[in-house]
Amino acid sequence: MKKTFKKIFAAALFAFMAANSLSAASVSKNKSQSAEVAFVQKLSDTLASGSIESALKMFDTMPDSMKDDKDMKTLHASLLLSAGKDSESAAIASSLLTAYPQDVDVLELNAMIAKKKGDDKTKSNLLRRILALDPKNVGANLEFAGEQALKHNYRNARDLYKKALSAEPANIEALFGFGKMSYYMEKDDDAEKSFKKILELDPTNVQALLYMGKLEGEDKRYLKAREYVLAALKSDPGNVDAYFDLGTYSRYLGKWDDAEKAWKKTTELDPEYFLGYAMLAGFYDEQNKTDKALEYYRIVVEKNPNYFYAYESLGMFAWKVGNWEEAGNAFMKALEHNPDSLSYKLLVAACYMKLNKPQQARKFTEEKMRKLDRQSIEYGMVRLYHDMGGDTPLLLKVQKEENSTKRGRYIFYMALYYDLAGKFDLAQKFYSEVVEMQAPMFFEYRMAQWATGSEK
């Protein structure tokens, strides 16, 4: 219902003039009609200039013959609502609803007021009444579609947008909603048709350009996707989403400097939003720029402490530079979000040992062992770090593990155990065994590379 105000303004003025046969030809008929025409024309000009306050003041001088007119009262209430004078608007709208319970414009006005008040129940009831009178009503269908979209009921939302389009095929809001829902439902052909229709109507429409970019990007046509994003930025140079996409497509095209600049731009435009820093952290991580990656992972968790995906990487890079306390804290945070992770448990214990805090390490591992199956390798691993002994029988179990990813991870933690125990030759033997797998399906693979100095 975003455009309902304009609709009511125009409809009210047109309806009043039509109902009262007000035209230049009729001005000479009587002075009353002449005054009404003059008022309506002046009001229309004032609204066209964008001055709502000036338009509202005009209602104090409205001819008496117009004061009970439904369309003028609807327009007055709409202007009051637009000006933030909600209670005055509601009073007029309520009286109109009592007098004209079947009038769609009056129902739309009251629905807008209910929406602004946050009265969803009343708003929904009014919208249903509108649809009972006018099943293809664009405003009501768009409002319900938006609600369904927010609830991720994409199919329902898509059907409602489609119904709105059956009444107004060139309605850009409906076209975009239909296209977006189609995109989410992976109906890419329908999405593309909808976004292209928008661009026929408005070649500079930023959202349509960005979604066309997404469609091209998903088909790995990154050059074309980048062109759409650059076109969007011409229309809206401060669009954060566009810079996120520009960074992504530039990265896939091997334009590393452009990707870095684009993601840095997101942090300039929205310094408190964590995602731009996360993209840069991942970018520097990929480029093996340890100091930069660590710097940006720190910013990510500072901006969004609940973004637990970053704690694993923060812990890894803090580990790489020997900051055991920071690494331990990061892995502990990661463990809070994934309490079943053996990796985080063992790395927290290892960080305590690196910090020469064996008692805290034993207290931690003892607490974690209680919740594990005593016959499992996981229990054996935690027990190994608790006792700092008993590796031989556990190693036999590890070597029999059939799942290559699990076996690789277990071997890494055997290597780390030997490292902590000062058995460096054995540690290097097992780190190398992990690296030789050449299957980085687990993050410890990189830590093994660091330990052997084999990362390129």
Side-chain angles (χ1 to χ4, degrees):
M1 298 179 74
K2 294 177 182 176
K3 297 185 179 178
T4 307
F5 284 127
K6 289 183 178 179
K7 175 187 170 185
I8 289 177
F9 296 160
L13 289 169
F14 177 81
F16 182 82
M17 293 192 69
N20 294 280
S21 301
L22 296 179
S23 65
S26 66
V27 172
S28 61
K29 288 187 178 180
N30 58 65
K31 291 182 179 180
S32 173
Q33 283 194 326
S34 178
E36 291 171 356
V37 169
F39 177 82
V40 169
Q41 186 60 59
K42 186 176 179 182
L43 179 60
S44 180
D45 292 342
T46 304
L47 287 172
S49 72
S51 177
I52 292 178
E53 288 296 336
S54 297
L56 282 172
K57 289 178 182 177
M58 288 185 62
F59 282 89
D60 295 334
T61 63
M62 185 167 62
D64 291 341
S65 59
M66 303 175 74
K67 288 183 177 178
D68 291 326
D69 181 83
K70 173 182 70 72
D71 299 306
M72 285 295 104
K73 291 176 78 171
T74 302
L75 177 58
H76 190 194
S78 300
L79 288 167
L80 287 166
L81 184 63
S82 184
K85 300 179 180 182
D86 298 359
S87 58
E88 294 175 59
S89 174
I92 297 173
S94 180
S95 66
L96 283 167
L97 188 60
T98 300
Y100 305 99
Q102 303 296 308
D103 186 278
V104 170
D105 288 339
V106 171
L107 288 165
E108 285 186 345
L109 170 64
N110 280 272
M112 284 193 296
I113 291 170
K115 180 178 181 178
K116 193 170 183 183
K117 289 166 63 177
D119 186 350
D120 292 336
K121 183 178 180 180
T122 298
K123 181 196 73 173
S124 293
N125 287 337
L126 289 164
L127 291 175
R128 289 190 181 93
R129 287 168 64 179
I130 291 169
L131 291 175
L133 295 165
D134 178 12
K136 292 185 178 181
N137 183 276
V138 175
N141 279 304
L142 288 178
E143 187 68 20
F144 276 135
E147 289 180 0
Q148 292 297 304
L150 287 173
K151 294 175 183 176
H152 303 290
N153 295 328
Y154 301 136
R155 186 178 300 279
N156 291 344
R158 186 174 183 267
D159 289 344
L160 289 162
Y161 283 123
K162 189 174 183 179
K163 191 178 288 187
L165 285 171
S166 69
E168 289 185 17
N171 185 292
I172 287 181
E173 184 179 351
L175 282 166
F176 180 71
F178 181 80
K180 190 175 180 180
M181 296 307 103
S182 298
Y183 174 81
Y184 288 158
M185 293 171 66
E186 298 184 357
K187 295 180 180 291
D188 291 352
D189 288 344
D190 288 344
E192 184 176 354
K193 287 176 185 176
S194 198
F195 297 136
K196 281 186 173 179
K197 179 66 175 177
I198 293 172
L199 294 174
E200 288 174 13
L201 298 166
D202 176 12
T204 64
N205 187 284
V206 172
Q207 290 303 313
L209 288 166
L210 291 180
Y211 270 92
M212 282 301 299
K214 292 180 193 300
L215 289 169
E216 296 288 354
E218 288 176 9
D219 283 337
K220 298 184 180 180
R221 294 191 289 265
Y222 302 121
L223 189 61
K224 186 63 178 175
R226 191 170 183 270
E227 288 173 3
Y228 275 116
V229 173
L230 291 173
L233 284 169
K234 284 184 180 178
S235 297
D236 185 5
N239 190 292
V240 177
D241 291 336
Y243 279 105
F244 274 117
D245 290 347
L246 179 59
T248 299
Y249 306 142
S250 296
R251 175 193 170 278
Y252 283 126
L253 288 166
K255 296 178 179 290
W256 309 111
D257 290 345
D258 288 350
E260 183 180 15
K261 287 175 185 175
W263 287 325
K264 279 191 174 181
K265 186 68 175 180
T266 68
T267 65
E268 294 169 13
L269 292 168
D270 193 353
E272 297 307 310
Y273 188 41
F274 76 95
L275 190 55
Y277 303 102
M279 298 300 282
L280 285 164
F283 174 76
Y284 294 127
D285 184 337
E286 185 180 19
Q287 306 249 331
N288 294 323
K289 295 181 179 178
T290 300
D291 292 342
K292 282 284 191 181
L294 184 55
E295 174 189 350
Y296 277 89
Y297 280 125
R298 285 169 177 160
I299 298 173
V300 172
V301 298
E302 176 192 335
K303 299 294 181 182
N304 186 358
N306 295 319
Y307 189 65
F308 63 90
Y309 300 105
Y311 286 109
E312 180 183 292
S313 296
L314 174 59
M316 283 175 59
F317 280 96
W319 176 281
K320 186 178 183 182
V321 300
N323 190 332
W324 312 120
E325 185 169 0
E326 183 177 29
N329 290 337
F331 289 129
M332 187 73 84
K333 279 287 187 181
L335 183 62
E336 288 175 12
H337 292 280
N338 188 0
D340 295 328
S341 170
L342 175 66
S343 298
Y344 301 150
K345 292 170 188 173
L346 296 179
L347 286 167
V348 169
C351 285
Y352 279 131
M353 293 181 207
K354 290 281 191 180
L355 288 165
N356 197 26
K357 295 180 178 180
Q359 290 183 334
Q360 285 180 257
R362 285 177 63 83
K363 182 179 178 181
F364 174 79
T365 50
E366 184 175 349
E367 187 245 327
K368 298 306 174 188
M369 280 191 297
R370 291 173 185 167
K371 301 174 184 178
L372 295 172
D373 177 3
R374 286 177 174 265
Q375 304 305 312
S376 67
I377 292 180
E378 285 77 8
Y379 175 85
M381 281 286 178
V382 179
R383 185 66 187 249
L384 180 67
Y385 279 62
H386 180 271
D387 295 344
M388 288 304 290
D391 51 298
T392 302
L394 181 60
L395 187 55
L396 291 173
K397 281 187 176 182
V398 167
Q399 290 171 337
K400 291 179 182 178
E401 174 60 52
E402 294 181 358
N403 183 294
S404 61
T405 297
K406 284 185 177 181
R407 186 172 64 256
R409 182 174 278 125
Y410 294 151
I411 291 171
F412 170 83
Y413 287 107
M414 293 301 301
L416 179 56
Y417 159 74
Y418 290 124
D419 206 338
L420 294 168
K423 300 177 181 180
F424 302 118
D425 289 342
L426 269 176
Q428 283 299 308
K429 174 181 179 294
F430 286 108
Y431 283 137
S432 296
E433 189 173 334
V434 174
V435 172
E436 287 168 7
M437 292 177 70
Q438 296 184 348
M441 300 296 291
F442 46 93
F443 72 87
E444 293 92 343
Y445 179 88
R446 288 187 73 191
M447 296 177 75
Q449 287 183 308
W450 295 340
T452 59
S454 59
E455 184 177 63
K456 295 179 181 179

